[in-house]
Amino acid sequence: MEKVTIPVTGMSCTACASSIETTIGSLNGVLRNSVNFANNNVFIEYQPDKIHLDDIKKAVVSIGYDLLIDQSEQKNLEAIRSSEYKKLKNNTLGAVAFAFPLLAISMLLGMKWRYSGYLQFLLAVPVIFIFGRVFFVNALKQAQHLKTNMDTLVAMSTGIAFLFSTFNTFYPQFFISQGLEPHIYFEAAAVIIAFILLGRMLEEKAKSKTSQAIKDLMKLQPLTVKVIREGKEVELPTEELLTGDLVIIHPGERIPVDGKVEWGSSFVDESTINGESIPSEKLKNDPVFAGTLNQKGSIRIIAEKVGKETILAHIIKTVEEAQGSKAPVQKLADKIAGIFVPVVISISLLTFLIWYFSGVPQSLTHAFLSMVTVLIIACPCALGLATPTAVMVGIGKGAKNGILVKDAESLETAHKVDTIVLDKTGTLTLGKPEVVHSIWSSNVRNQESYENILLSIESLSEHPLSEALVNMLKNKKKEPIEIDHFESITGRGIKAEADGKVYFAGNEQFMEDNGLELKTFYEGKEEAIKNNGKTRIYFASQSEILSVFEIADTIKATTPKAIEAFKQMGIEVIMLTGDNESTAAAIARQTGINRYKASVLPDEKALFIKELQKNGKTVAMVGDGINDSEALALADLSIAMGNGSDVAMDVAKITLVNSDLLQIVKSIRLSKETVKTIRQNLFWAFVYNLISIPVAAGALFPFFGFLLNPMIGSAAMALSSVSVVSNSLRLRTRKL
């Protein structure tokens, strides 16, 4: 199974997107596909052993569109899109150049001049058959597959107007002999095409701005880089960099890879990656990231991750996939847009029949004009653009603030969250615990030997508390020995064998589970039993507890402020931790959390989330470790810390690059602003169609004698799409 995101060309409306989705979805071997009209991409999940991308491309081309599956085409995507836009612009200018003189002739001369009709015909032909040719070609391709789209409406309305007018120009006697005036509508057909092309041109211009975030992110990657190869400084294209290269970064240059400082010191602006506005000081062995800006001092760095492996590349990929996804509300809008065209065609035919048999004077003229106006004004473009443009701008704004949103649904869900469940270590705290105190049993005679054993056991564990013990023992210059057997018991501790003896390292419950008495160990050490809020790790042989280590973690500076902000938003905050009651209580007290649960195992975290959901809560789970992954997967909204495990980040729907809880506050505000914009867009798009279609059909004529001109209808349709995209772009200026 493979997943790809491929650029699409030739789409002009959401009905096009719906048509492509249906065509691809009907192919054997395609599991899932989603077309985003706003960013002109299609996401496809398919089975390569059953279908090839070339076959999918052929199916799409057969209905009038194209997929850019070649890498060379995708590299030149910007140039291809630019060329398409230039072609659209030329067609628009050409159509306008012929349509408006045609309109002037029609208004000034009408049919008073005997050759007026022929001149209008000559001016209309280039507009219909050259500049507006694309509408008829696409409509025909759609019709061959029994499908319709926006081009069908345009081709039907302008084609009927042109053919009707041509007939009346060359055979006027047909209607005159029946006592009717042979009207012509060349100007209507030409001006409609000019207006719709103009609208598409403005729409394309506005749509390109909604994907500005991706373009901005890509610009962060320098095109060339200076490296030392064979002892010499050489300049290479960035894509030729290799892992292990020694890269030279001068002041003012962007860093092209993820790596470590090998020589020199400087301050680096990392705001583009993590949103942090204060530059970070970088000394030898400090990590640096691609896309960040070196401010002062030259440094040399060793490349550890290059190309698609860097954090910047990961961010770009995440944002691209998220912008291509669809929010739940979008699915409803797409469904409506998909059936909209046939419904509109039916309404236009009904309008024609009602007018024709109404008995009013010139009923044929009214019937004809009203039918054409309904076909023109009812394009569902605004409806289709309402959600994806807002989502694209919202996700792009999040990325610029260090908030990586995986899909549109998550962005829509965040504003509904009423309960936030937080892991402790790495989420509320820095996740870098240190051993602050230790007590050894008076029975221990060879402490150094036991410390070597403990170092060997803890070195095999991935738990963050083990790292604290290992660092402490390494600083004491202890030497590891060979371990015969190692077993990690989730939520409890470690059991290991060395030199034929069994040892345990873990929490209080783990000691009791293995029949080891704490009371005996603490005899004579009453002061040590006091509740001090530290995490305790016990080290024991098979017969007795040998030592206890107290480990403390520092609370992040912004954590209390974030907790207070959640409370002000009306969100309940709950902490879950595997630590003991006293540690949990101390952390909760210091951070302002009122509700917590201590000694929680990973599966109990997941059960707790389920219980909250059963009680009607919309739950966000925030964590950073593998032990949080099950709870993250179950939560309505999962948020991972950027410095956490890869598993947690893979599962989570939102990743906070700088691991700051205040970013969650921003995420929720971003969600509220995005959803508000979507609702505004959908409201105006629905209102536009609800009002415009009856007016176009002539509903006001019986009361006010008003009948909408098809040319005004085409201008209104174009304006509705542009206004929806412009409203979405306003999101970029909102403060989070």
Side-chain angles (χ1 to χ4, degrees):
M1 183 179 71
E2 284 196 18
K3 297 177 183 177
V4 290
T5 300
I6 305 172
V8 187
T9 62
M11 285 197 294
S12 58
C13 65
T14 48
C16 300
S18 176
S19 181
I20 295 172
E21 270 185 10
T22 309
T23 301
I24 296 178
S26 65
L27 299 174
N28 184 33
V30 174
L31 303 175
R32 190 160 60 99
N33 84 99
S34 173
V35 179
N36 188 315
F37 172 54
N39 66 5
N40 294 311
N41 279 334
V42 56
F43 169 80
I44 306 172
E45 188 176 332
Y46 69 104
Q47 295 168 302
D49 56 327
K50 291 186 177 177
I51 190 166
H52 194 267
L53 278 180
D54 284 331
D55 302 320
I56 300 175
K57 179 185 170 82
K58 280 179 191 171
V60 173
V61 169
S62 72
I63 56 169
Y65 312 99
D66 198 4
L67 296 183
L68 305 181
I69 60 173
D70 290 340
Q71 289 295 318
S72 57
E73 289 179 322
Q74 293 184 17
K75 278 186 179 176
N76 296 322
L77 182 60
E78 203 60 35
I80 292 171
R81 293 258 159 90
S82 176
S83 171
E84 281 189 340
Y85 179 76
K86 191 177 176 183
K87 190 176 174 184
L88 176 60
K89 188 178 175 182
N90 289 338
N91 281 338
T92 305
L93 293 176
V96 169
F98 280 86
F100 284 90
L102 195 162
L103 179 64
I105 291 170
S106 169
M107 292 176 70
L108 295 175
L109 300 178
M111 295 299 287
K112 294 174 187 171
W113 182 40
R114 62 180 297 191
Y115 298 110
S116 174
Y118 298 106
L119 183 58
Q120 290 184 50
F121 170 77
L122 291 175
L123 288 169
V125 165
V127 178
I128 300 291
F129 293 101
I130 299 176
F131 307 117
R133 179 173 174 273
V134 64
F135 296 113
F136 297 92
V137 172
N138 288 343
L140 189 61
K141 286 183 178 177
Q142 291 287 314
Q144 288 170 346
H145 292 80
L146 302 177
K147 295 178 186 295
T148 56
N149 66 359
M150 165 67 182
D151 294 330
T152 309
L153 297 180
V154 178
M156 279 185 69
S157 56
T158 58
I160 291 170
F162 180 80
L163 290 174
F164 183 78
S165 304
T166 303
F167 180 83
N168 285 350
T169 300
F170 291 96
Y171 304 100
Q173 292 305 321
F174 179 81
F175 280 106
I176 291 174
S177 64
Q178 299 178 46
L180 297 171
E181 192 172 344
H183 292 286
I184 58 172
Y185 302 103
F186 288 123
E187 87 287 358
V191 172
I192 285 168
I193 285 180
F195 266 138
I196 291 175
L197 286 172
L198 183 64
R200 282 191 184 178
M201 195 179 82
L202 295 174
E203 189 179 299
E204 285 301 316
K205 194 75 180 171
K207 273 166 60 182
S208 68
K209 292 181 183 174
T210 62
S211 56
Q212 190 61 41
I214 289 286
K215 292 174 187 169
D216 290 345
L217 286 169
M218 287 178 168
K219 285 178 187 170
L220 297 178
Q221 183 73 54
L223 298 176
T224 60
V225 60
K226 298 182 186 73
V227 298
I228 295 178
R229 293 258 175 101
E230 298 176 351
K232 293 180 183 176
E233 181 178 325
V234 292
E235 188 165 351
L236 300 171
T238 303
E239 55 264 29
E240 291 183 14
L241 267 178
L242 301 172
T243 304
D245 271 337
L246 192 58
V247 184
I248 303 167
I249 311 291
H250 295 298
E253 291 181 347
R254 289 206 177 272
I255 295 171
V257 295
D258 290 355
K260 277 187 179 176
V261 177
E262 192 275 337
W263 174 88
S265 63
S266 182
F267 283 86
V268 175
D269 179 355
E270 297 183 325
S271 59
T272 50
I273 297 295
N274 59 20
E276 178 56 56
S277 58
I278 301 172
S280 302
E281 186 177 11
K282 297 294 178 184
L283 304 172
K284 187 174 181 180
N285 290 329
D286 281 346
V288 290
F289 304 102
T292 55
L293 181 65
N294 181 32
Q295 290 196 325
K296 296 178 181 177
S298 294
I299 52 175
R300 292 180 182 179
I301 58 175
I302 298 175
E304 294 182 333
K305 291 181 179 177
V306 300
K308 293 181 179 177
E309 301 297 318
T310 64
I311 287 180
L312 177 63
H314 174 71
I315 290 172
I316 292 172
K317 188 182 174 193
T318 303
V319 173
E320 278 181 334
E321 289 181 357
Q323 289 190 333
S325 64
K326 289 186 179 181
V329 68
Q330 172 68 20
K331 291 170 186 169
L332 174 65
D334 282 354
K335 197 174 281 185
I336 294 172
I339 60 170
F340 208 79
V341 175
V343 169
V344 167
I345 291 172
S346 303
I347 292 174
S348 70
L349 291 173
L350 186 64
T351 301
F352 180 88
L353 293 173
I354 291 174
W355 272 107
Y356 186 74
F357 293 108
S358 65
V360 299
Q362 295 187 318
S363 61
L364 179 62
T365 302
H366 290 323
F368 180 73
L369 283 178
S370 298
M371 181 182 74
V372 169
T373 310
V374 169
L375 287 171
I376 289 300
I377 208 166
C379 173
C381 289
L383 192 63
L385 287 168
T387 303
T389 51
V391 167
M392 285 177 69
V393 176
I395 287 174
K397 190 175 179 68
K400 283 188 174 180
N401 283 275
I403 303 163
L404 292 183
V405 184
K406 195 171 273 183
D407 56 37
E409 185 175 356
S410 309
L411 189 62
E412 193 182 331
T413 304
H415 84 286
K416 300 176 189 169
V417 167
D418 54 24
T419 307
I420 286 185
V421 178
L422 299 158
D423 171 50
K424 181 182 75 67
T425 306
T427 302
L428 296 169
T429 65
L430 290 174
K432 293 179 180 175
E434 295 176 343
V435 177
V436 294
H437 187 54
S438 63
I439 303 170
W440 284 86
S441 166
S442 55
N443 297 331
V444 172
R445 295 288 176 261
N446 189 355
Q447 180 177 327
E448 188 170 347
S449 170
Y450 285 124
E451 286 178 332
N452 289 338
I453 294 169
L454 182 60
L455 172 61
S456 311
I457 295 172
E458 295 291 351
S459 297
L460 299 173
S461 172
E462 293 181 349
H463 197 283
L465 297 181
S466 296
E467 192 179 339
L469 284 166
V470 169
N471 289 338
M472 184 268 291
L473 293 167
K474 280 185 175 176
N475 288 337
K476 292 174 76 174
K477 309 294 182 191
K478 302 303 169 191
E479 294 293 332
I481 63 168
E482 189 174 341
I483 298 297
D484 302 322
H485 174 74
F486 177 88
E487 183 183 358
S488 176
I489 293 93
T490 305
R492 292 284 191 269
I494 301 165
K495 180 181 178 183
E497 279 184 38
D499 292 334
K501 295 179 181 175
V502 176
Y503 294 93
F504 303 96
N507 60 21
E508 188 175 316
Q509 186 63 50
F510 192 45
M511 297 298 116
E512 291 176 355
D513 290 347
N514 288 283
L516 296 159
E517 284 196 18
L518 294 165
K519 189 177 176 184
T520 307
F521 174 76
Y522 279 120
E523 278 179 1
K525 308 180 185 70
E526 285 75 13
E527 190 64 24
I529 305 175
K530 283 185 178 177
N531 180 356
N532 57 11
K534 306 286 190 302
T535 301
R536 289 174 178 165
I537 295 294
Y538 296 88
F539 177 47
S541 65
Q542 205 163 9
S543 57
E544 64 173 334
I545 294 175
L546 302 171
S547 61
V548 62
F549 299 87
E550 290 186 340
I551 299 174
D553 194 1
T554 307
I555 293 172
K556 293 175 185 172
T558 55
T559 295
K561 193 176 175 183
I563 302 297
E564 182 58 31
F566 293 144
K567 289 180 179 175
Q568 287 179 2
M569 287 176 161
I571 297 172
E572 184 182 15
V573 183
I574 304 170
M575 178 181 72
L576 297 184
T577 175
D579 275 330
N580 58 49
E581 173 68 25
S582 60
T583 302
I587 294 291
R589 191 170 54 250
Q590 292 172 49
T591 55
I593 293 174
N594 299 324
R595 186 178 174 189
Y596 64 89
K597 201 170 178 187
S599 304
V600 182
L601 296 173
D603 57 337
E604 291 174 339
K605 286 184 181 180
L607 290 173
F608 187 77
I609 298 287
K610 277 186 182 176
E611 195 61 35
L612 288 171
Q613 289 171 326
K614 273 185 188 173
N615 292 327
K617 300 287 186 183
T618 304
V619 185
M621 172 72 200
V622 189
D624 71 328
I626 295 172
N627 60 337
D628 300 317
S629 55
E630 189 178 349
L632 285 169
L634 281 172
D636 298 290
L637 180 70
S638 46
I639 302 172
M641 295 291 156
N643 59 357
S645 72
D646 290 341
V647 175
M649 285 190 279
D650 282 346
V651 171
K653 295 296 179 67
I654 292 178
T655 298
L656 307 179
V657 178
N658 69 358
S659 304
D660 185 347
L661 284 182
L662 282 176
Q663 294 296 85
I664 300 178
V665 179
K666 286 187 177 181
S667 306
I668 294 170
R669 287 180 186 148
L670 177 65
S671 171
K672 286 181 178 175
E673 290 294 333
T674 305
V675 170
K676 188 166 81 176
T677 303
I678 290 172
R679 286 175 179 166
Q680 288 170 347
N681 288 348
L682 286 174
F683 173 78
W684 288 113
F686 273 116
V687 165
Y688 164 78
N689 281 301
L690 282 175
I691 294 175
S692 63
I693 292 176
V695 171
L700 297 180
F701 187 82
F703 308 103
F704 307 104
F706 175 76
L707 202 57
L708 194 65
N709 189 298
M711 292 181 283
I712 304 296
S714 63
M717 188 277 292
L719 191 63
S720 70
S721 296
V722 174
S723 63
V724 160
V725 179
S726 301
N727 190 43
S728 296
L729 289 173
R730 287 174 59 231
L731 254 178
R732 296 198 299 183
T733 60
R734 307 267 172 83
K735 192 176 178 184
L736 297 179

